[in-house]
């Protein structure tokens, strides 16, 4: 087979000379004659702490590539740190995907190993790989080990939300809250709850983009380095077999990813990422597919934020393949993986070692806990709720809206002792969608009013056009589409309007007549809160970003351009 990289390296003209000569820095002469050039797309960064260890993982990949006869090439790519970046890492997911795609296409590469961990890194890498369509395989960086505080395990993210509310409610001292900080992050790796990072690693495996059995391996576990080495070898094999994303990422793959997302009780953020990845592949995936395929799949994984345990326990109990074995009848048996074999072929030898952590089909954590898609006059194009993380008594609810026009408005008023709010109120926050913020931040799980926390209230219905952390919990209706800044009806809600939520009926409605809504216009405070960037990436993003119900990608990035580059550089 003729390698793509031979377009750069084969020949005796000055261009081939330049391409070879500048790469002759210690490599053998045969590096340019028939040996696959494998990029290691590495999102390691000190400012993405969950990915800081990926250069060690890259070294193991490098060894595997060499062993299999390939030439490994380090390729640092845009890294997005969920905990550090403002206004939100999601603002740059599409930029990271675009930059990675262009670097893979522009360089003399035959395949790529994608190293990601923190929330947006695996989605952006998969979006890029889908668009350039070179042989590609993901190595997830893995979750951190479990930390403890006062003798109890700490769930990264989830316990931040819980403990901070206890401080505001007066049941935990500020000193103890601060003391827990050093125990929260015990080791290298991403969040140890079933947050977005863990979810996307597992969903990527269910898609077929990760070697089966690898996702969920803790970051400090030496078996992750072994898997990275093996994946390096596999990348060379994939080039020889021309096993590209378009050959194994199919509609059947996304079916299995949705089943997995539901069974693990995964993050709502996976919905917007899977929609975006599917869009790059030209696969017709919609919000309705998530409800049709996944909403009634049982939740089998008893992990925070929906349950009790953490990712180290999940790995010990058997991991994703064990979960998928329990729901094997719901999977599409034709979906392939990076190995060229169907995903279901890996499920025969996947025993459960702890049925408290990974439940059996007969004794699930929740009989129906997948992500539910809501529609109604408040969300004509859809909204999401995660029943597994919600309060059962609030899944059918009517209450008066308390509206906040921006996150700043929310922070300024939420702890006002004179705030007109009670436990039945519905908190509505707008201006937090892709265009409005910009970037669709994780603010939908709004902290509760302090005066209600002091009364013992720990959950309320909340509605927002933004996202929430996969580590978060509560009865939160989010990803409302269209968002307020795109002309959605969320911009027209007034404090005192009655909001009706009925998850079983898949409805989220405003009890206001169509005629009344037609005569309303957004107030000036709402409009003033919408993003209006003048230049740079934010301007490009706001002008071209799509809505959450289709993946919040940029309109000109939908689809793929392949790997061809027709023109020379010199």
């Amino acid at each position: 087979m003729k390698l793509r990289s031979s377009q750069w390296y084969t020949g005796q003209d000055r261009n081939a000379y330049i391409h070879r000569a500048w790469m002759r820095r210690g490599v053998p002469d045969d590096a340019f004659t028939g040996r696959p050039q494998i990029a290691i797309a590495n999102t390691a960064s000190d400012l993405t702490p969950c990915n800081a260890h990926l250069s060690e993982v890259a070294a193991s990949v490098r060894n595997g590539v060499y062993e299999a006869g390939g030439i490994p090439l380090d390729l640092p790519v845009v890294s997005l740190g969920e905990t550090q970046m403002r206004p939100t890492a999601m603002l740059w997911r599409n930029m990271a995907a675009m930059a990675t795609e262009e670097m893979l296409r522009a360089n003399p590469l035959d395949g790529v190993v994608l190293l990601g961990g923190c929330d947006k890194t695996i989605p952006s890498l998969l979006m890029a790989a889908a668009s350039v369509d070179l042989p590609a395989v993901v190595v997830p960086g893995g979750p951190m080990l479990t930390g403890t505080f006062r003798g109890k395990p700490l769930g990264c993210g989830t316990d931040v939300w819980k403990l901070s509310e206890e401080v505001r409610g007066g049941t935990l001292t500020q000193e103890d809250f601060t003391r827990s900080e050093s125990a929260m992050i015990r080791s290298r790796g991403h969040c140890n709850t079933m947050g977005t990072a863990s979810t996307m690693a597992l969903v990527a495996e269910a898609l077929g983009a990760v070697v089966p059995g690898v996702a969920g391996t803790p970051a400090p576990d030496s078996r992750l380095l072994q898997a990275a080495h093996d994946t390096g070898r596999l990348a060379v094999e994939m080039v020889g077999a021309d096993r590209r994303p378009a050959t194994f990422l199919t509609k059947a793959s996304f079916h299995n990813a949705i089943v997995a997302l539901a069974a693990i009780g995964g993050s709502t953020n996976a919905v917007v990422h899977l929609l975006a990845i599917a869009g790059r592949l030209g696969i017709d995936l919609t919000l309705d597919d998530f409800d049709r395929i996944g909403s009634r799949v049982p939740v089998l994984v008893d992990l925070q934020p929906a349950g009790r345990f953490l990712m180290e326990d999940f790995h010990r109990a058997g991991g994703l393949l064990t979960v998928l074995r329990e729901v094997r009848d719901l999977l599409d048996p034709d979906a392939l993986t990076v190995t060229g074999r169907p995903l279901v072929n890996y499920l025969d030898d996947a025993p459960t070692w702890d049925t408290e952590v990974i439940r059996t089909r007969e004794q699930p954590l929740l009989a129906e806990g997948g992500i539910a898609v809501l529609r109604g006059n408040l969300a004509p194009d859809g909204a999401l709720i995660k029943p597994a993380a919600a309060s059962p008594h609030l899944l059918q609810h009517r209450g008066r809206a308390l509206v906040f026009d921006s996150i700043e408005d929310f922070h300024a008023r939420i702890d006002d002792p004179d705030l007109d709010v009670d436990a039945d109120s519905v908190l509505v926050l707008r201006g937090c969608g892709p265009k409005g913020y910009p970037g669709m931040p994780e603010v939908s799980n709004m902290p509760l009013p302090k005066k209600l926390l002091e009364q013992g209230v720990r959950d309320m219905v909340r509605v927002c056009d933004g996202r929430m952390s996969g580590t978060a919990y509560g009865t939160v209706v989010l990803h409302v589409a269209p968002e307020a800044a795109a002309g959605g009806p969320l911009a027209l809600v007034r404090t005192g309007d009655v909001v009706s939520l009925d998850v079983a009926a898949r409805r989220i409605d405003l009890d206001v007549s169509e005629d009344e809504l037609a005569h309303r216009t957004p107030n000036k405070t709402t409009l003033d809160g919408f993003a209006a960037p003048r230049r740079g990436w934010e301007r490009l993003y706001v002008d071209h970003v799509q809505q959450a119900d289709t993946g919040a990608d940029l309109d000109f990035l939908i689809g793929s351009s392949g790997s061809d580059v027709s023109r020379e550089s010199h």
Side-chain angles (χ1 to χ4, degrees):
M1 134 176 216
K2 184 177 180 180
L3 294 174
R4 178 178 180 269
S5 57
S6 67
Q7 299 172 49
W8 280 258
Y9 295 134
T10 299
Q12 301 304 318
D13 63 6
R14 71 177 188 179
N15 287 314
Y17 178 102
I18 289 169
H19 294 314
R20 291 191 301 264
W22 264 257
M23 294 297 286
R24 284 185 185 277
R25 302 181 188 231
V27 300
D29 287 343
D30 68 354
F32 310 108
T33 55
R35 294 181 66 170
Q37 312 288 308
I38 307 296
I40 305 172
N42 187 359
T43 55
S45 167
D46 287 342
L47 287 167
T48 307
C50 299
N51 292 20
H53 66 294
L54 288 181
S55 291
E56 181 183 10
V57 177
S60 291
V61 174
R62 188 180 187 89
N63 291 339
V65 171
Y66 261 133
E67 183 182 323
I71 300 298
L73 300 158
D74 293 329
L75 179 64
V77 293
V78 176
S79 187
L80 305 176
E82 193 67 32
T83 56
Q84 305 303 319
M85 300 185 78
R86 293 181 177 179
T88 171
M90 183 66 174
L91 176 61
W92 294 284
R93 182 202 64 177
N94 300 336
M95 183 188 74
M98 183 166 65
T100 301
E101 173 190 345
E102 299 299 343
M103 290 304 97
L104 294 177
R105 182 181 296 112
N107 280 294
L109 299 172
D110 302 300
V112 59
V113 179
L114 307 166
L115 305 187
C118 194
D119 296 17
K120 305 303 178 296
T121 53
I122 288 179
S124 66
L125 292 170
L126 281 174
M127 290 164 69
S131 289
V132 75
D133 203 31
L134 288 174
V137 54
V138 174
V139 178
M144 67 183 72
L145 300 178
T146 302
T148 60
F149 177 61
R150 298 189 299 192
K152 295 182 179 180
L154 280 175
C156 179
T158 301
D159 277 320
V160 175
W161 316 128
K162 288 181 179 178
L163 295 175
S164 63
E165 293 289 70
E166 295 305 324
V167 172
R168 295 176 64 242
T171 59
L172 181 71
T173 67
Q174 184 65 55
E175 290 73 22
D176 276 347
F177 181 58
T178 303
R179 196 172 294 118
S180 72
E181 187 177 309
S182 61
M184 179 68 67
I185 310 302
R186 179 183 169 198
S187 73
R188 67 186 70 185
H190 60 66
C191 292
N192 60 4
T193 49
M194 193 58 76
T196 304
S198 295
T199 296
M200 288 311 302
L202 298 172
V203 164
E205 181 172 312
L207 270 177
V210 179
V211 174
V214 172
T217 304
D221 195 316
S222 60
R223 287 170 291 186
L224 178 62
L225 300 181
Q226 178 185 344
H229 185 110
D230 292 343
T231 301
R233 292 191 298 193
L234 176 65
V236 177
E237 176 196 315
M238 292 176 71
V239 171
D242 195 27
R243 197 176 302 140
R244 295 168 288 106
T247 68
F248 60 84
L249 294 182
T250 63
K251 186 68 180 280
S253 306
F254 284 87
H255 175 104
N256 290 349
I258 292 171
V259 171
L261 174 63
I264 64 176
S267 167
T268 50
N269 289 305
V271 177
V272 77
H273 296 319
L274 286 171
L275 288 167
I277 296 165
R280 297 300 184 94
L281 291 159
I283 292 173
D284 181 23
L285 189 71
T286 69
L287 277 184
D288 291 334
D289 290 320
F290 286 86
D291 208 311
R292 177 179 57 83
I293 298 168
S295 64
R296 290 176 174 81
V297 172
V299 176
L300 302 180
V301 179
D302 192 348
L303 232 72
Q304 292 186 34
R308 298 173 292 165
F309 296 100
L310 295 166
M311 284 298 292
E312 191 177 351
D313 304 304
F314 177 74
H315 182 69
R316 170 180 55 80
L320 179 65
L321 297 181
T322 294
V323 178
L324 296 182
R325 188 193 63 179
E326 290 292 321
V327 292
R328 185 172 189 160
D329 59 304
L330 303 178
L331 298 174
D332 191 315
D334 296 327
L336 299 176
T337 70
V338 286
T339 66
R341 298 173 59 200
L343 178 66
V344 295
N345 284 17
Y346 292 89
L347 305 183
D348 292 332
D349 185 24
T352 305
W353 302 113
D354 188 333
T355 55
E356 279 196 79
V357 179
I358 299 176
R359 306 290 189 90
T360 64
R361 185 77 167 272
E362 293 73 29
Q363 294 182 310
L365 182 68
L366 288 171
E368 294 182 0
I371 292 165
V373 178
L374 310 176
R375 296 185 190 274
N377 69 353
L378 198 50
D381 293 337
L384 304 182
I385 190 169
K386 184 177 176 180
S391 298
H393 73 280
L394 291 175
L395 294 179
Q396 186 174 41
H397 182 78
R398 285 172 57 85
R400 292 183 308 111
L402 175 58
V403 180
F404 300 93
D405 287 311
S406 65
I407 193 63
E408 291 78 15
D409 179 32
F410 174 84
H411 288 311
R413 293 196 288 133
I414 191 62
D415 286 340
D416 184 345
D418 296 324
L419 192 67
D420 184 14
V421 65
D422 58 37
D424 291 328
S425 298
V426 175
L427 305 183
V428 176
L429 175 59
R430 58 191 171 210
C432 301
K435 290 180 180 291
Y437 204 76
M440 205 180 173
E442 295 183 339
V443 296
S444 296
N445 58 314
M446 296 163 253
L448 303 189
K450 184 176 180 180
K451 72 178 187 180
L452 295 185
L453 288 169
E454 291 171 345
Q455 296 169 19
V457 176
R458 289 298 180 268
D459 195 11
M460 297 173 67
V461 175
R462 286 158 276 180
V463 180
C464 184
D465 47 10
R467 300 176 299 115
M468 74 176 181
S469 167
T471 67
Y473 55 91
T475 310
V476 181
V477 177
L478 65 171
H479 299 203
V480 172
E483 63 173 301
L490 200 65
L492 306 177
V493 184
R494 296 175 179 173
T495 292
D497 289 344
V498 174
V499 175
S500 175
L501 170 66
D502 190 338
V503 174
R506 300 297 193 263
R507 300 291 302 183
I508 179 72
D509 289 290
L510 192 66
D511 286 359
V512 175
S513 70
E514 289 185 21
D515 286 345
E516 168 65 17
L517 285 177
H519 285 90
R520 288 186 181 182
T521 56
N523 65 52
K524 185 178 183 301
T525 306
T526 297
L527 296 174
D528 288 347
F530 297 157
R534 293 182 295 106
R535 63 178 298 278
W537 174 254
E538 286 194 19
R539 173 66 182 271
L540 184 67
Y541 181 93
V542 169
D543 286 350
H544 292 279
V545 71
Q546 297 190 316
Q547 290 295 286
D549 62 302
T550 58
D553 204 353
L554 302 192
D555 52 19
F556 61 83
L557 290 178
I558 302 301
S560 64
S561 300
S563 62
D564 289 344
V565 181
S566 60
R567 288 185 155 175
E568 260 294 353
S569 55
H570 298 90

